[in-house]
PDB file of all heavy atoms in Angstrom:
ATOM      1  N   PRO A  15      30.007  -0.749  54.617  1.00 95.00           N
ATOM      2  CA  PRO A  15      31.352  -0.147  54.729  1.00 95.00           C
ATOM      3  C   PRO A  15      32.235  -0.412  53.517  1.00 95.00           C
ATOM      4  O   PRO A  15      33.170   0.369  53.193  1.00 95.00           O
ATOM      5  CB  PRO A  15      31.921  -0.788  56.012  1.00 95.00           C
ATOM      6  CG  PRO A  15      31.093  -1.988  56.246  1.00 95.00           C
ATOM      7  CD  PRO A  15      29.716  -1.629  55.730  1.00 95.00           C
ATOM      8  N   GLU A  16      31.988  -1.521  52.795  1.00 96.00           N
ATOM      9  CA  GLU A  16      32.788  -1.900  51.677  1.00 96.00           C
ATOM     10  C   GLU A  16      32.480  -0.959  50.427  1.00 96.00           C
ATOM     11  O   GLU A  16      33.303  -1.027  49.476  1.00 96.00           O
ATOM     12  CB  GLU A  16      32.630  -3.350  51.312  1.00 96.00           C
ATOM     13  CG  GLU A  16      31.286  -3.767  50.801  1.00 96.00           C
ATOM     14  CD  GLU A  16      30.282  -4.147  51.917  1.00 96.00           C
ATOM     15  OE1 GLU A  16      30.619  -3.886  53.105  1.00 96.00           O
ATOM     16  OE2 GLU A  16      29.171  -4.686  51.579  1.00 96.00           O
ATOM     17  N   GLU A  17      31.370  -0.320  50.461  1.00 95.00           N
ATOM     18  CA  GLU A  17      31.089   0.544  49.294  1.00 95.00           C
ATOM     19  C   GLU A  17      31.829   1.864  49.350  1.00 95.00           C
ATOM     20  O   GLU A  17      31.993   2.488  50.409  1.00 95.00           O
ATOM     21  CB  GLU A  17      29.543   0.839  49.272  1.00 95.00           C
ATOM     22  CG  GLU A  17      28.693  -0.351  48.881  1.00 95.00           C
ATOM     23  CD  GLU A  17      27.278   0.085  48.559  1.00 95.00           C
ATOM     24  OE1 GLU A  17      27.019   1.290  48.243  1.00 95.00           O
ATOM     25  OE2 GLU A  17      26.374  -0.741  48.664  1.00 95.00           O
ATOM     26  N   LYS A  18      32.265   2.306  48.197  1.00 96.00           N
ATOM     27  CA  LYS A  18      32.955   3.603  48.137  1.00 96.00           C
ATOM     28  C   LYS A  18      31.904   4.716  48.288  1.00 96.00           C
ATOM     29  O   LYS A  18      30.788   4.624  47.860  1.00 96.00           O
ATOM     30  CB  LYS A  18      33.690   3.775  46.795  1.00 96.00           C
ATOM     31  CG  LYS A  18      34.876   2.860  46.653  1.00 96.00           C
ATOM     32  CD  LYS A  18      35.599   3.158  45.283  1.00 96.00           C
ATOM     33  CE  LYS A  18      36.807   2.249  45.203  1.00 96.00           C
ATOM     34  NZ  LYS A  18      37.576   2.515  43.902  1.00 96.00           N
ATOM     35  N   LYS A  19      32.343   5.768  49.007  1.00 97.00           N
ATOM     36  CA  LYS A  19      31.399   6.844  49.383  1.00 97.00           C
ATOM     37  C   LYS A  19      31.809   8.173  48.703  1.00 97.00           C
ATOM     38  O   LYS A  19      31.338   9.255  49.137  1.00 97.00           O
ATOM     39  CB  LYS A  19      31.407   7.075  50.858  1.00 97.00           C
ATOM     40  CG  LYS A  19      31.252   5.834  51.697  1.00 97.00           C
ATOM     41  CD  LYS A  19      30.006   5.089  51.479  1.00 97.00           C
ATOM     42  CE  LYS A  19      29.732   3.930  52.476  1.00 97.00           C
ATOM     43  NZ  LYS A  19      30.815   2.929  52.648  1.00 97.00           N
ATOM     44  N   THR A  20      32.599   8.179  47.634  1.00 96.00           N
ATOM     45  CA  THR A  20      32.876   9.413  46.940  1.00 96.00           C
ATOM     46  C   THR A  20      31.614   9.924  46.304  1.00 96.00           C
ATOM     47  O   THR A  20      30.677   9.177  46.057  1.00 96.00           O
ATOM     48  CB  THR A  20      33.935   9.198  45.845  1.00 96.00           C
ATOM     49  OG1 THR A  20      33.393   8.316  44.828  1.00 96.00           O
ATOM     50  CG2 THR A  20      35.228   8.578  46.425  1.00 96.00           C
ATOM     51  N   LEU A  21      31.611  11.256  46.004  1.00 96.00           N
ATOM     52  CA  LEU A  21      30.401  11.792  45.378  1.00 96.00           C
ATOM     53  C   LEU A  21      30.124  11.107  44.012  1.00 96.00           C
ATOM     54  O   LEU A  21      28.982  10.869  43.678  1.00 96.00           O
ATOM     55  CB  LEU A  21      30.605  13.291  45.190  1.00 96.00           C
ATOM     56  CG  LEU A  21      29.403  14.089  44.707  1.00 96.00           C
ATOM     57  CD1 LEU A  21      28.133  13.928  45.601  1.00 96.00           C
ATOM     58  CD2 LEU A  21      29.724  15.572  44.509  1.00 96.00           C
ATOM     59  N   GLN A  22      31.197  10.847  43.288  1.00 95.00           N
ATOM     60  CA  GLN A  22      31.021  10.176  42.003  1.00 95.00           C
ATOM     61  C   GLN A  22      30.379   8.793  42.174  1.00 95.00           C
ATOM     62  O   GLN A  22      29.433   8.423  41.433  1.00 95.00           O
ATOM     63  CB  GLN A  22      32.374  10.030  41.305  1.00 95.00           C
ATOM     64  CG  GLN A  22      32.248   9.350  39.944  1.00 95.00           C
ATOM     65  CD  GLN A  22      31.323  10.039  38.976  1.00 95.00           C
ATOM     66  OE1 GLN A  22      31.394  11.240  38.788  1.00 95.00           O
ATOM     67  NE2 GLN A  22      30.343   9.320  38.433  1.00 95.00           N
ATOM     68  N   CYS A  23      30.845   8.012  43.092  1.00 96.00           N
ATOM     69  CA  CYS A  23      30.309   6.647  43.328  1.00 96.00           C
ATOM     70  C   CYS A  23      28.827   6.730  43.748  1.00 96.00           C
ATOM     71  O   CYS A  23      28.004   5.928  43.324  1.00 96.00           O
ATOM     72  CB  CYS A  23      31.122   5.917  44.342  1.00 96.00           C
ATOM     73  SG  CYS A  23      32.783   5.387  43.683  1.00 96.00           S
ATOM     74  N   LEU A  24      28.541   7.675  44.625  1.00 97.00           N
ATOM     75  CA  LEU A  24      27.173   7.812  45.096  1.00 97.00           C
ATOM     76  C   LEU A  24      26.240   8.367  44.002  1.00 97.00           C
ATOM     77  O   LEU A  24      25.064   7.991  43.909  1.00 97.00           O
ATOM     78  CB  LEU A  24      27.085   8.706  46.363  1.00 97.00           C
ATOM     79  CG  LEU A  24      27.829   8.116  47.567  1.00 97.00           C
ATOM     80  CD1 LEU A  24      27.931   9.145  48.703  1.00 97.00           C
ATOM     81  CD2 LEU A  24      27.080   6.890  48.034  1.00 97.00           C
ATOM     82  N   CYS A  25      26.731   9.198  43.152  1.00 96.00           N
ATOM     83  CA  CYS A  25      25.933   9.716  42.037  1.00 96.00           C
ATOM     84  C   CYS A  25      25.644   8.535  41.075  1.00 96.00           C
ATOM     85  O   CYS A  25      24.552   8.440  40.557  1.00 96.00           O
ATOM     86  CB  CYS A  25      26.677  10.790  41.258  1.00 96.00           C
ATOM     87  SG  CYS A  25      26.633  12.412  42.119  1.00 96.00           S
ATOM     88  N   ASP A  26      26.612   7.677  40.829  1.00 95.00           N
ATOM     89  CA  ASP A  26      26.432   6.504  40.027  1.00 95.00           C
ATOM     90  C   ASP A  26      25.382   5.563  40.684  1.00 95.00           C
ATOM     91  O   ASP A  26      24.483   5.050  40.001  1.00 95.00           O
ATOM     92  CB  ASP A  26      27.710   5.764  39.801  1.00 95.00           C
ATOM     93  CG  ASP A  26      28.698   6.490  38.916  1.00 95.00           C
ATOM     94  OD1 ASP A  26      28.209   7.442  38.205  1.00 95.00           O
ATOM     95  OD2 ASP A  26      29.938   6.215  38.929  1.00 95.00           O
ATOM     96  N   ARG A  27      25.506   5.374  41.991  1.00 96.00           N
ATOM     97  CA  ARG A  27      24.623   4.496  42.707  1.00 96.00           C
ATOM     98  C   ARG A  27      23.203   4.901  42.595  1.00 96.00           C
ATOM     99  O   ARG A  27      22.280   4.123  42.449  1.00 96.00           O
ATOM    100  CB  ARG A  27      25.077   4.391  44.162  1.00 96.00           C
ATOM    101  CG  ARG A  27      24.350   3.323  44.971  1.00 96.00           C
ATOM    102  CD  ARG A  27      24.798   3.434  46.454  1.00 96.00           C
ATOM    103  NE  ARG A  27      24.638   2.270  47.198  1.00 96.00           N
ATOM    104  CZ  ARG A  27      23.541   1.920  47.837  1.00 96.00           C
ATOM    105  NH1 ARG A  27      22.446   2.659  47.746  1.00 96.00           N
ATOM    106  NH2 ARG A  27      23.430   0.785  48.569  1.00 96.00           N
ATOM    107  N   TYR A  28      22.939   6.219  42.775  1.00 96.00           N
ATOM    108  CA  TYR A  28      21.619   6.775  42.806  1.00 96.00           C
ATOM    109  C   TYR A  28      21.161   7.430  41.483  1.00 96.00           C
ATOM    110  O   TYR A  28      20.127   8.139  41.469  1.00 96.00           O
ATOM    111  CB  TYR A  28      21.472   7.724  44.001  1.00 96.00           C
ATOM    112  CG  TYR A  28      21.554   7.011  45.319  1.00 96.00           C
ATOM    113  CD1 TYR A  28      22.717   7.148  46.089  1.00 96.00           C
ATOM    114  CD2 TYR A  28      20.546   6.269  45.856  1.00 96.00           C
ATOM    115  CE1 TYR A  28      22.847   6.537  47.389  1.00 96.00           C
ATOM    116  CE2 TYR A  28      20.658   5.605  47.093  1.00 96.00           C
ATOM    117  CZ  TYR A  28      21.792   5.777  47.814  1.00 96.00           C
ATOM    118  OH  TYR A  28      21.892   5.125  49.044  1.00 96.00           O
ATOM    119  N   GLU A  29      21.966   7.275  40.507  1.00 96.00           N
ATOM    120  CA  GLU A  29      21.667   7.793  39.138  1.00 96.00           C
ATOM    121  C   GLU A  29      21.399   9.341  39.211  1.00 96.00           C
ATOM    122  O   GLU A  29      20.453   9.843  38.659  1.00 96.00           O
ATOM    123  CB  GLU A  29      20.435   7.064  38.582  1.00 96.00           C
ATOM    124  CG  GLU A  29      20.731   5.595  38.373  1.00 96.00           C
ATOM    125  CD  GLU A  29      19.499   4.866  37.706  1.00 96.00           C
ATOM    126  OE1 GLU A  29      18.444   5.450  37.660  1.00 96.00           O
ATOM    127  OE2 GLU A  29      19.648   3.706  37.280  1.00 96.00           O
ATOM    128  N   ILE A  30      22.320   9.979  39.878  1.00 96.00           N
ATOM    129  CA  ILE A  30      22.277  11.461  39.921  1.00 96.00           C
ATOM    130  C   ILE A  30      23.139  11.976  38.755  1.00 96.00           C
ATOM    131  O   ILE A  30      24.314  11.682  38.724  1.00 96.00           O
ATOM    132  CB  ILE A  30      22.788  11.980  41.264  1.00 96.00           C
ATOM    133  CG1 ILE A  30      21.931  11.505  42.416  1.00 96.00           C
ATOM    134  CG2 ILE A  30      22.877  13.533  41.233  1.00 96.00           C
ATOM    135  CD1 ILE A  30      22.471  11.812  43.787  1.00 96.00           C
ATOM    136  N   ARG A  31      22.567  12.757  37.894  1.00 91.00           N
ATOM    137  CA  ARG A  31      23.326  13.239  36.672  1.00 91.00           C
ATOM    138  C   ARG A  31      24.020  14.553  36.975  1.00 91.00           C
ATOM    139  O   ARG A  31      23.425  15.454  37.565  1.00 91.00           O
ATOM    140  CB  ARG A  31      22.360  13.356  35.534  1.00 91.00           C
ATOM    141  CG  ARG A  31      21.724  12.016  35.079  1.00 91.00           C
ATOM    142  CD  ARG A  31      20.859  12.257  33.875  1.00 91.00           C
ATOM    143  NE  ARG A  31      21.641  12.703  32.663  1.00 91.00           N
ATOM    144  CZ  ARG A  31      21.164  13.032  31.524  1.00 91.00           C
ATOM    145  NH1 ARG A  31      19.851  12.989  31.341  1.00 91.00           N
ATOM    146  NH2 ARG A  31      21.937  13.416  30.572  1.00 91.00           N
ATOM    147  N   ARG A  32      25.259  14.635  36.530  1.00 88.00           N
ATOM    148  CA  ARG A  32      26.000  15.898  36.574  1.00 88.00           C
ATOM    149  C   ARG A  32      26.553  16.150  35.182  1.00 88.00           C
ATOM    150  O   ARG A  32      27.175  15.288  34.575  1.00 88.00           O
ATOM    151  CB  ARG A  32      27.205  15.748  37.560  1.00 88.00           C
ATOM    152  CG  ARG A  32      26.799  15.719  39.004  1.00 88.00           C
ATOM    153  CD  ARG A  32      28.041  15.671  39.874  1.00 88.00           C
ATOM    154  NE  ARG A  32      28.776  14.447  39.685  1.00 88.00           N
ATOM    155  CZ  ARG A  32      29.989  14.171  40.157  1.00 88.00           C
ATOM    156  NH1 ARG A  32      30.629  15.126  40.843  1.00 88.00           N
ATOM    157  NH2 ARG A  32      30.579  13.008  39.990  1.00 88.00           N
ATOM    158  N   GLU A  33      26.323  17.370  34.676  1.00 85.00           N
ATOM    159  CA  GLU A  33      26.804  17.712  33.381  1.00 85.00           C
ATOM    160  C   GLU A  33      28.324  17.856  33.445  1.00 85.00           C
ATOM    161  O   GLU A  33      29.016  17.430  32.502  1.00 85.00           O
ATOM    162  CB  GLU A  33      26.194  19.014  32.942  1.00 85.00           C
ATOM    163  CG  GLU A  33      26.575  19.416  31.530  1.00 85.00           C
ATOM    164  CD  GLU A  33      25.875  20.665  31.014  1.00 85.00           C
ATOM    165  OE1 GLU A  33      24.958  21.101  31.744  1.00 85.00           O
ATOM    166  OE2 GLU A  33      26.248  21.187  29.953  1.00 85.00           O
ATOM    167  N   HIS A  34      28.889  18.405  34.515  1.00 83.00           N
ATOM    168  CA  HIS A  34      30.307  18.572  34.675  1.00 83.00           C
ATOM    169  C   HIS A  34      30.758  18.088  36.003  1.00 83.00           C
ATOM    170  O   HIS A  34      30.410  18.656  37.070  1.00 83.00           O
ATOM    171  CB  HIS A  34      30.719  20.063  34.521  1.00 83.00           C
ATOM    172  CG  HIS A  34      30.263  20.672  33.236  1.00 83.00           C
ATOM    173  ND1 HIS A  34      30.882  20.377  32.020  1.00 83.00           N
ATOM    174  CD2 HIS A  34      29.288  21.590  32.971  1.00 83.00           C
ATOM    175  CE1 HIS A  34      30.281  21.071  31.108  1.00 83.00           C
ATOM    176  NE2 HIS A  34      29.330  21.804  31.613  1.00 83.00           N
ATOM    177  N   ARG A  35      31.510  17.003  36.000  1.00 84.00           N
ATOM    178  CA  ARG A  35      32.030  16.421  37.263  1.00 84.00           C
ATOM    179  C   ARG A  35      33.146  17.344  37.796  1.00 84.00           C
ATOM    180  O   ARG A  35      33.946  17.884  37.010  1.00 84.00           O
ATOM    181  CB  ARG A  35      32.529  15.053  37.064  1.00 84.00           C
ATOM    182  CG  ARG A  35      31.486  14.052  36.614  1.00 84.00           C
ATOM    183  CD  ARG A  35      32.063  12.682  36.319  1.00 84.00           C
ATOM    184  NE  ARG A  35      31.042  11.781  35.812  1.00 84.00           N
ATOM    185  CZ  ARG A  35      31.317  10.544  35.413  1.00 84.00           C
ATOM    186  NH1 ARG A  35      32.552  10.066  35.484  1.00 84.00           N
ATOM    187  NH2 ARG A  35      30.358   9.768  35.021  1.00 84.00           N
ATOM    188  N   HIS A  36      33.268  17.435  39.103  1.00 88.00           N
ATOM    189  CA  HIS A  36      34.300  18.247  39.732  1.00 88.00           C
ATOM    190  C   HIS A  36      34.247  19.703  39.307  1.00 88.00           C
ATOM    191  O   HIS A  36      35.306  20.367  39.221  1.00 88.00           O
ATOM    192  CB  HIS A  36      35.672  17.669  39.462  1.00 88.00           C
ATOM    193  CG  HIS A  36      35.888  16.295  40.061  1.00 88.00           C
ATOM    194  ND1 HIS A  36      35.885  16.043  41.412  1.00 88.00           N
ATOM    195  CD2 HIS A  36      35.995  15.046  39.457  1.00 88.00           C
ATOM    196  CE1 HIS A  36      36.038  14.756  41.627  1.00 88.00           C
ATOM    197  NE2 HIS A  36      36.085  14.129  40.492  1.00 88.00           N
ATOM    198  N   ARG A  37      33.028  20.186  39.073  1.00 94.00           N
ATOM    199  CA  ARG A  37      32.789  21.656  38.944  1.00 94.00           C
ATOM    200  C   ARG A  37      31.867  22.003  40.101  1.00 94.00           C
ATOM    201  O   ARG A  37      30.919  21.271  40.433  1.00 94.00           O
ATOM    202  CB  ARG A  37      32.227  21.989  37.593  1.00 94.00           C
ATOM    203  CG  ARG A  37      33.193  21.793  36.440  1.00 94.00           C
ATOM    204  CD  ARG A  37      34.457  22.653  36.562  1.00 94.00           C
ATOM    205  NE  ARG A  37      34.115  24.103  36.622  1.00 94.00           N
ATOM    206  CZ  ARG A  37      34.035  24.846  35.530  1.00 94.00           C
ATOM    207  NH1 ARG A  37      34.228  24.304  34.342  1.00 94.00           N
ATOM    208  NH2 ARG A  37      33.781  26.124  35.690  1.00 94.00           N
ATOM    209  N   ALA A  38      32.135  23.200  40.674  1.00 96.00           N
ATOM    210  CA  ALA A  38      31.542  23.533  41.976  1.00 96.00           C
ATOM    211  C   ALA A  38      29.977  23.483  41.946  1.00 96.00           C
ATOM    212  O   ALA A  38      29.397  22.850  42.843  1.00 96.00           O
ATOM    213  CB  ALA A  38      32.056  24.889  42.427  1.00 96.00           C
ATOM    214  N   LEU A  39      29.367  24.162  41.005  1.00 97.00           N
ATOM    215  CA  LEU A  39      27.909  24.220  41.050  1.00 97.00           C
ATOM    216  C   LEU A  39      27.274  22.884  40.811  1.00 97.00           C
ATOM    217  O   LEU A  39      26.280  22.508  41.437  1.00 97.00           O
ATOM    218  CB  LEU A  39      27.404  25.235  40.033  1.00 97.00           C
ATOM    219  CG  LEU A  39      25.898  25.522  40.012  1.00 97.00           C
ATOM    220  CD1 LEU A  39      25.362  25.912  41.408  1.00 97.00           C
ATOM    221  CD2 LEU A  39      25.510  26.606  39.018  1.00 97.00           C
ATOM    222  N   ASP A  40      27.808  22.113  39.835  1.00 96.00           N
ATOM    223  CA  ASP A  40      27.263  20.761  39.564  1.00 96.00           C
ATOM    224  C   ASP A  40      27.378  19.872  40.771  1.00 96.00           C
ATOM    225  O   ASP A  40      26.434  19.097  41.101  1.00 96.00           O
ATOM    226  CB  ASP A  40      28.003  20.202  38.393  1.00 96.00           C
ATOM    227  CG  ASP A  40      27.722  20.894  37.080  1.00 96.00           C
ATOM    228  OD1 ASP A  40      28.230  21.985  36.875  1.00 96.00           O
ATOM    229  OD2 ASP A  40      26.960  20.354  36.259  1.00 96.00           O
ATOM    230  N   ASP A  41      28.488  19.968  41.498  1.00 97.00           N
ATOM    231  CA  ASP A  41      28.707  19.097  42.671  1.00 97.00           C
ATOM    232  C   ASP A  41      27.798  19.581  43.800  1.00 97.00           C
ATOM    233  O   ASP A  41      27.385  18.754  44.624  1.00 97.00           O
ATOM    234  CB  ASP A  41      30.218  19.115  43.082  1.00 97.00           C
ATOM    235  CG  ASP A  41      31.049  18.272  42.120  1.00 97.00           C
ATOM    236  OD1 ASP A  41      30.471  17.712  41.195  1.00 97.00           O
ATOM    237  OD2 ASP A  41      32.235  18.232  42.361  1.00 97.00           O
TER     238      ASP A  41
END
């Protein structure tokens, strides 16, 4: 529960790469 669950935090946690953050297709 103490971990942040935003898409950005989860992408960092699982090393998911996005070329453009907060762009629809990348997300």
Side-chain angles (χ1 to χ4, degrees):
E16 65 273 11
E17 287 192 24
K18 291 183 178 180
K19 313 298 190 305
T20 65
L21 185 59
Q22 179 57 52
C23 289
L24 292 172
C25 283
D26 291 342
R27 188 185 202 275
Y28 292 106
E29 298 182 346
I30 298 172
R31 297 184 62 184
R32 288 181 295 169
E33 185 176 351
H34 302 289
R35 299 176 183 177
H36 297 292
R37 291 299 301 271
L39 184 56
D40 291 74
D41 286 359

